[in-house]
Coordinates of all heavy atoms in Angstrom, one line a residue:
M180 N 144.7 148.7 85.9 CA 143.6 147.8 86.2 C 143.0 148.1 87.5 O 142.0 147.5 87.9 CB 144.0 146.3 86.0 CG 144.2 145.9 84.6 SD 142.8 146.1 83.5 CE 141.8 144.7 84.0
G181 N 143.6 148.9 88.4 CA 143.1 149.2 89.7 C 141.7 149.7 89.7 O 140.9 149.4 90.6
G182 N 141.3 150.4 88.7 CA 140.0 151.0 88.7 C 138.9 149.9 88.5 O 137.9 150.0 89.1
L183 N 139.2 148.9 87.8 CA 138.2 147.9 87.6 C 138.0 147.1 88.9 O 136.9 146.8 89.3 CB 138.7 146.8 86.5 CG 137.9 145.6 86.3 CD1 136.5 146.0 85.8 CD2 138.5 144.7 85.3
F184 N 139.1 146.8 89.6 CA 139.0 146.1 90.9 C 138.3 146.9 91.9 O 137.6 146.5 92.8 CB 140.4 145.6 91.4 CG 140.9 144.5 90.6 CD1 142.1 144.7 89.8 CD2 140.3 143.2 90.5 CE1 142.6 143.7 89.0 CE2 140.8 142.2 89.7 CZ 142.0 142.5 89.0
D185 N 138.5 148.2 91.9 CA 137.9 149.1 92.8 C 136.3 149.1 92.5 O 135.5 149.1 93.5 CB 138.4 150.6 92.7 CG 139.8 150.7 93.2 OD1 140.3 149.9 93.9 OD2 140.5 151.7 92.7
M186 N 136.0 149.1 91.3 CA 134.6 149.0 90.9 C 133.9 147.7 91.4 O 132.8 147.7 91.9 CB 134.3 149.2 89.4 CG 134.6 150.7 89.0 SD 134.5 151.0 87.2 CE 133.6 149.7 86.5
M187 N 134.7 146.6 91.2 CA 134.2 145.3 91.6 C 134.0 145.3 93.2 O 133.0 144.8 93.6 CB 135.1 144.2 91.2 CG 135.1 144.0 89.7 SD 136.3 142.8 89.0 CE 136.3 141.5 90.2
D188 N 135.0 145.8 93.9 CA 134.9 145.8 95.3 C 133.7 146.7 95.8 O 133.0 146.3 96.7 CB 136.2 146.4 96.0 CG 137.3 145.5 95.9 OD1 137.1 144.3 95.8 OD2 138.5 146.0 96.1
D189 N 133.5 147.8 95.1 CA 132.3 148.6 95.5 C 131.0 147.9 95.2 O 130.1 148.0 96.0 CB 132.4 149.9 94.7 CG 131.5 151.0 95.2 OD1 131.4 151.2 96.5 OD2 130.8 151.6 94.4
A190 N 130.9 147.2 94.1 CA 129.7 146.5 93.7 C 129.4 145.4 94.8 O 128.3 145.2 95.2 CB 129.8 145.9 92.3
I191 N 130.5 144.7 95.2 CA 130.3 143.6 96.1 C 129.9 144.2 97.5 O 129.0 143.7 98.2 CB 131.5 142.7 96.3 CG1 131.8 142.0 94.9 CG2 131.4 141.7 97.4 CD1 133.2 141.4 94.8
A192 N 130.6 145.2 97.9 CA 130.2 145.9 99.2 C 128.7 146.4 99.2 O 128.0 146.2 100.2 CB 131.1 147.1 99.4
N193 N 128.3 146.9 98.1 CA 126.9 147.3 97.9 C 125.9 146.1 98.1 O 124.9 146.2 98.7 CB 126.7 148.1 96.6 CG 127.2 149.5 96.6 OD1 127.3 150.1 97.7 ND2 127.5 150.0 95.4
E194 N 126.3 145.1 97.4 CA 125.4 143.9 97.5 C 125.3 143.4 98.9 O 124.3 142.8 99.4 CB 125.9 142.8 96.6 CG 125.1 141.5 96.5 CD 123.7 141.7 96.0 OE1 123.5 142.5 95.0 OE2 122.8 141.1 96.5
L195 N 126.4 143.4 99.7 CA 126.5 143.0 101.0 C 125.9 144.0 102.0 O 125.7 143.7 103.2 CB 127.9 142.6 101.4 CG 128.5 141.5 100.7 CD1 130.1 141.4 100.9 CD2 127.9 140.2 101.0
G196 N 125.6 145.2 101.5 CA 125.0 146.2 102.4 C 126.0 146.9 103.3 O 125.5 147.4 104.4
V197 N 127.2 147.1 103.0 CA 128.2 147.7 103.8 C 129.0 148.7 103.0 O 128.9 148.7 101.8 CB 129.2 146.7 104.5 CG1 128.5 145.8 105.4 CG2 130.0 146.0 103.5
D198 N 129.7 149.6 103.7 CA 130.5 150.6 103.0 C 131.8 149.9 102.5 O 132.2 148.8 103.0 CB 130.9 151.7 103.8 CG 131.6 151.3 105.1 OD1 132.9 151.3 105.1 OD2 131.0 151.1 106.1
L199 N 132.5 150.5 101.6 CA 133.7 149.8 101.0 C 134.8 149.6 102.1 O 135.5 148.5 102.0 CB 134.3 150.8 99.9 CG 135.4 150.2 99.1 CD1 135.1 148.9 98.4 CD2 135.9 151.3 98.1
Y200 N 135.0 150.5 103.0 CA 136.0 150.3 104.0 C 135.7 149.0 104.9 O 136.6 148.2 105.1 CB 136.1 151.5 105.0 CG 137.0 151.3 106.1 CD1 138.4 151.4 106.0 CD2 136.5 151.0 107.4 CE1 139.2 151.2 107.1 CE2 137.4 150.8 108.4 CZ 138.7 150.9 108.3 OH 139.6 150.7 109.3
T201 N 134.5 148.9 105.3 CA 134.1 147.7 106.1 C 134.3 146.4 105.3 O 134.8 145.4 105.8 CB 132.7 147.8 106.5 OG1 132.5 149.0 107.3 CG2 132.2 146.6 107.4
Y202 N 133.9 146.4 104.0 CA 134.0 145.3 103.1 C 135.5 144.8 103.0 O 135.9 143.7 103.3 CB 133.4 145.6 101.8 CG 133.9 144.6 100.7 CD1 133.4 143.3 100.7 CD2 134.9 145.0 99.8 CE1 133.8 142.4 99.7 CE2 135.3 144.1 98.8 CZ 134.8 142.8 98.8 OH 135.2 141.9 97.8
I203 N 136.3 145.8 102.8 CA 137.8 145.5 102.6 C 138.4 145.0 103.9 O 139.2 144.0 103.9 CB 138.5 146.7 102.0 CG1 138.1 147.0 100.6 CG2 140.1 146.5 102.1 CD1 138.6 148.2 99.9
K204 N 138.1 145.6 105.0 CA 138.6 145.2 106.3 C 138.2 143.8 106.6 O 139.1 143.0 107.0 CB 138.0 146.2 107.4 CG 138.6 145.8 108.8 CD 138.1 146.8 109.8 CE 136.6 146.6 110.1 NZ 136.1 147.3 111.2
I205 N 137.0 143.4 106.3 CA 136.5 142.0 106.6 C 137.1 141.0 105.7 O 137.7 140.0 106.1 CB 135.0 141.9 106.7 CG1 134.5 142.7 107.9 CG2 134.5 140.5 106.7 CD1 133.0 142.8 108.0
I206 N 137.1 141.3 104.4 CA 137.6 140.4 103.4 C 139.1 140.2 103.5 O 139.6 139.1 103.4 CB 137.3 140.9 101.9 CG1 135.7 140.7 101.7 CG2 138.1 140.1 100.9 CD1 135.2 139.3 101.6
D207 N 139.8 141.3 103.8 CA 141.3 141.2 103.8 C 141.9 140.7 105.2 O 142.9 140.1 105.2 CB 141.9 142.6 103.5 CG 141.9 142.8 102.0 OD1 141.5 142.0 101.2 OD2 142.1 144.0 101.6
H208 N 141.1 141.0 106.2 CA 141.7 140.8 107.5 C 141.0 139.8 108.5 O 141.6 139.3 109.4 CB 141.9 142.1 108.3 CG 142.8 143.0 107.6 ND1 144.1 142.9 107.3 CD2 142.4 144.2 106.9 CE1 144.6 143.9 106.6 NE2 143.6 144.7 106.4
K209 N 139.8 139.5 108.2 CA 139.0 138.6 109.1 C 138.6 137.3 108.5 O 138.6 136.3 109.2 CB 137.7 139.4 109.6 CG 138.2 140.6 110.5 CD 136.9 141.3 111.1 CE 137.4 142.4 111.9 NZ 136.2 143.0 112.6
C210 N 138.2 137.3 107.2 CA 137.7 136.0 106.6 C 138.9 135.1 106.3 O 140.0 135.7 106.1 CB 137.1 136.3 105.2 SG 135.5 137.1 105.4
T211 N 138.7 133.9 106.2 CA 139.7 133.0 105.7 C 139.8 133.2 104.2 O 138.8 133.8 103.6 CB 139.4 131.5 106.0 OG1 138.2 131.2 105.3 CG2 139.2 131.2 107.5
D212 N 140.8 132.7 103.5 CA 140.9 132.8 102.1 C 139.7 132.1 101.4 O 139.1 132.6 100.4 CB 142.2 132.3 101.6 CG 143.4 133.1 101.9 OD1 143.2 134.3 102.2 OD2 144.5 132.6 101.9
E213 N 139.3 131.0 101.9 CA 138.2 130.2 101.4 C 136.9 131.0 101.5 O 136.1 131.0 100.6 CB 138.1 128.8 102.0 CG 139.2 127.9 101.8 CD 140.5 128.1 102.6 OE1 140.4 128.9 103.6 OE2 141.6 127.7 102.3
E214 N 136.7 131.6 102.7 CA 135.5 132.3 102.9 C 135.4 133.5 102.0 O 134.4 133.8 101.3 CB 135.3 132.8 104.3 CG 135.1 131.7 105.3 CD 135.2 132.2 106.8 OE1 135.9 133.1 107.1 OE2 134.4 131.6 107.6
A215 N 136.5 134.3 101.9 CA 136.6 135.5 101.0 C 136.3 135.1 99.5 O 135.5 135.8 98.9 CB 137.9 136.1 101.2
N216 N 136.9 134.0 99.1 CA 136.7 133.6 97.7 C 135.3 133.2 97.5 O 134.7 133.5 96.4 CB 137.6 132.4 97.3 CG 139.1 132.9 97.2 OD1 139.3 134.0 96.8 ND2 139.9 131.9 97.4
F217 N 134.7 132.5 98.4 CA 133.3 132.1 98.3 C 132.4 133.3 98.2 O 131.5 133.4 97.3 CB 132.9 131.2 99.5 CG 131.4 130.8 99.4 CD1 131.0 129.7 98.6 CD2 130.5 131.4 100.2 CE1 129.7 129.4 98.6 CE2 129.1 131.0 100.2 CZ 128.7 130.0 99.3
I218 N 132.6 134.3 99.1 CA 131.8 135.5 99.1 C 131.9 136.3 97.8 O 130.9 136.6 97.1 CB 132.2 136.4 100.3 CG1 131.8 135.7 101.6 CG2 131.5 137.8 100.2 CD1 132.4 136.3 102.8
I219 N 133.1 136.5 97.4 CA 133.4 137.3 96.2 C 132.8 136.6 95.0 O 132.1 137.2 94.1 CB 134.9 137.6 96.0 CG1 135.3 138.5 97.1 CG2 135.2 138.1 94.7 CD1 136.8 138.6 97.3
L220 N 133.1 135.3 94.8 CA 132.6 134.6 93.6 C 131.1 134.5 93.6 O 130.5 134.6 92.6 CB 133.3 133.2 93.5 CG 134.8 133.2 93.2 CD1 135.3 131.8 93.3 CD2 135.0 133.8 91.8
T221 N 130.5 134.3 94.8 CA 129.0 134.2 94.8 C 128.4 135.4 94.4 O 127.4 135.4 93.6 CB 128.6 133.8 96.2 OG1 129.1 132.5 96.6 CG2 127.1 133.7 96.4
V222 N 128.9 136.5 94.8 CA 128.2 137.9 94.5 C 128.5 138.1 93.0 O 127.6 138.5 92.3 CB 128.8 139.0 95.4 CG1 128.3 140.3 94.9 CG2 128.3 138.8 96.8
M223 N 129.8 137.9 92.5 CA 130.1 138.3 91.2 C 129.4 137.4 90.2 O 129.0 137.8 89.1 CB 131.6 138.3 91.0 CG 132.4 139.3 91.8 SD 131.8 141.0 91.5 CE 132.0 141.2 89.7
E224 N 129.2 136.1 90.5 CA 128.5 135.2 89.6 C 127.0 135.3 89.7 O 126.3 134.5 89.0 CB 129.0 133.8 89.9 CG 130.5 133.6 89.5 CD 131.0 132.2 89.9 OE1 130.3 131.4 90.5 OE2 132.2 132.0 89.5
E225 N 126.5 136.1 90.6 CA 125.1 136.3 90.9 C 124.5 134.9 91.2 O 123.4 134.5 90.7 CB 124.4 136.9 89.7 CG 124.9 138.4 89.5 CD 124.2 139.1 88.3 OE1 123.6 138.4 87.5 OE2 124.4 140.3 88.3
D226 N 125.2 134.2 92.0 CA 124.7 132.8 92.4 C 123.6 132.9 93.5 O 123.9 132.9 94.7 CB 126.0 132.0 92.9 CG 125.6 130.6 93.4 OD1 124.4 130.2 93.4 OD2 126.6 129.9 93.7
T227 N 122.4 133.0 93.1 CA 121.3 133.3 94.0 C 121.1 132.1 95.0 O 120.6 132.4 96.1 CB 120.0 133.5 93.2 OG1 119.7 132.4 92.4 CG2 120.1 134.7 92.4
E228 N 121.5 130.9 94.6 CA 121.4 129.8 95.6 C 122.3 129.9 96.8 O 121.9 129.5 97.9 CB 121.7 128.5 94.9 CG 120.6 128.1 93.9 CD 120.9 126.8 93.2 OE1 121.6 126.0 93.7 OE2 120.4 126.5 92.1
N229 N 123.4 130.5 96.6 CA 124.4 130.7 97.7 C 124.5 132.1 98.2 O 125.3 132.3 99.2 CB 125.8 130.2 97.2 CG 125.8 128.7 97.1 OD1 125.4 128.0 98.0 ND2 126.3 128.2 96.0
L230 N 123.8 133.0 97.7 CA 124.0 134.4 98.1 C 123.7 134.6 99.6 O 124.4 135.3 100.3 CB 123.1 135.4 97.3 CG 123.2 136.9 97.6 CD1 124.7 137.3 97.4 CD2 122.3 137.6 96.6
E231 N 122.6 134.0 100.1 CA 122.3 134.1 101.6 C 123.4 133.5 102.4 O 123.7 134.1 103.4 CB 120.9 133.5 101.9 CG 120.4 133.9 103.2 CD 120.2 135.4 103.4 OE1 119.8 136.1 102.4 OE2 120.4 135.9 104.5
K232 N 123.9 132.4 102.0 CA 125.0 131.8 102.8 C 126.3 132.7 102.8 O 126.9 132.9 103.8 CB 125.3 130.5 102.2 CG 126.5 129.7 103.0 CD 126.7 128.3 102.4 CE 127.9 127.7 103.1 NZ 128.2 126.4 102.5
A233 N 126.6 133.3 101.6 CA 127.7 134.2 101.5 C 127.5 135.4 102.5 O 128.4 135.9 103.1 CB 127.9 134.7 100.1
K234 N 126.3 136.0 102.5 CA 126.0 137.1 103.3 C 126.1 136.7 104.8 O 126.6 137.5 105.6 CB 124.6 137.7 103.1 CG 124.5 138.4 101.8 CD 123.1 138.9 101.6 CE 123.0 139.8 100.3 NZ 121.7 140.3 100.0
Q235 N 125.7 135.5 105.2 CA 125.8 135.0 106.6 C 127.2 134.9 107.0 O 127.6 135.3 108.1 CB 125.1 133.7 106.8 CG 123.6 133.8 106.7 CD 122.9 132.4 106.7 OE1 123.5 131.4 106.6 NE2 121.6 132.4 106.9
I236 N 128.1 134.4 106.1 CA 129.5 134.2 106.4 C 130.1 135.6 106.6 O 130.8 135.8 107.6 CB 130.2 133.5 105.2 CG1 129.8 132.0 105.2 CG2 131.7 133.6 105.5 CD1 130.2 131.3 104.0
F237 N 129.8 136.5 105.7 CA 130.3 137.9 105.8 C 129.9 138.6 107.1 O 130.6 139.2 107.8 CB 129.9 138.7 104.6 CG 130.5 140.1 104.6 CD1 131.8 140.3 104.2 CD2 129.8 141.2 105.1 CE1 132.3 141.6 104.1 CE2 130.3 142.5 105.1 CZ 131.6 142.7 104.6
N238 N 128.6 138.5 107.4 CA 127.9 139.2 108.5 C 128.4 138.7 109.8 O 128.4 139.5 110.8 CB 126.4 139.1 108.4 CG 125.9 140.0 107.3 OD1 126.5 140.9 106.8 ND2 124.7 139.7 106.8
K239 N 128.9 137.5 109.9 CA 129.4 137.0 111.2 C 130.6 137.8 111.7 O 130.9 137.8 112.9 CB 129.7 135.5 111.2 CG 130.9 135.1 110.5 CD 131.1 133.5 110.5 CE 132.4 133.1 109.8 NZ 132.5 131.7 109.8
Y240 N 131.3 138.5 110.8 CA 132.5 139.2 111.1 C 132.1 140.7 111.4 O 133.0 141.4 111.8 CB 133.5 139.2 110.0 CG 134.1 137.8 109.9 CD1 133.7 137.0 108.8 CD2 134.9 137.3 110.8 CE1 134.3 135.7 108.6 CE2 135.5 136.0 110.6 CZ 135.1 135.2 109.6 OH 135.7 134.0 109.4
L241 N 131.0 141.2 111.2 CA 130.6 142.6 111.4 C 130.6 143.0 112.8 O 131.0 144.1 113.1 CB 129.1 142.8 110.9 CG 129.0 143.0 109.4 CD1 127.6 143.2 109.0 CD2 129.8 144.2 108.9
D242 N 130.3 142.1 113.8 CA 130.3 142.4 115.2 C 131.6 142.2 115.9 O 131.7 142.5 117.1 CB 129.2 141.6 115.9 CG 127.8 141.9 115.4 OD1 127.6 143.1 114.9 OD2 127.0 141.0 115.3
E243 N 132.6 141.8 115.2 CA 133.9 141.6 115.8 C 134.7 142.8 115.9 O 134.7 143.7 115.2 CB 134.8 140.5 115.0 CG 134.2 139.2 115.1 CD 135.1 138.2 114.4 OE1 136.0 138.5 113.8 OE2 134.8 136.9 114.6

């Protein structure tokens, strides 16, 4: 099943506008579990109401 999760990670990274390495580094090591879950679920569910908030949460870790 690793291939499916790799594809999902790649799709989420693309939606967030970053490369896969950056996405994994931030989700696994910088975000809280709650933030990571919110970002992932928002993108995967195509929740347009919360997408900008998810991007803001993710982007705050880009400069760290």
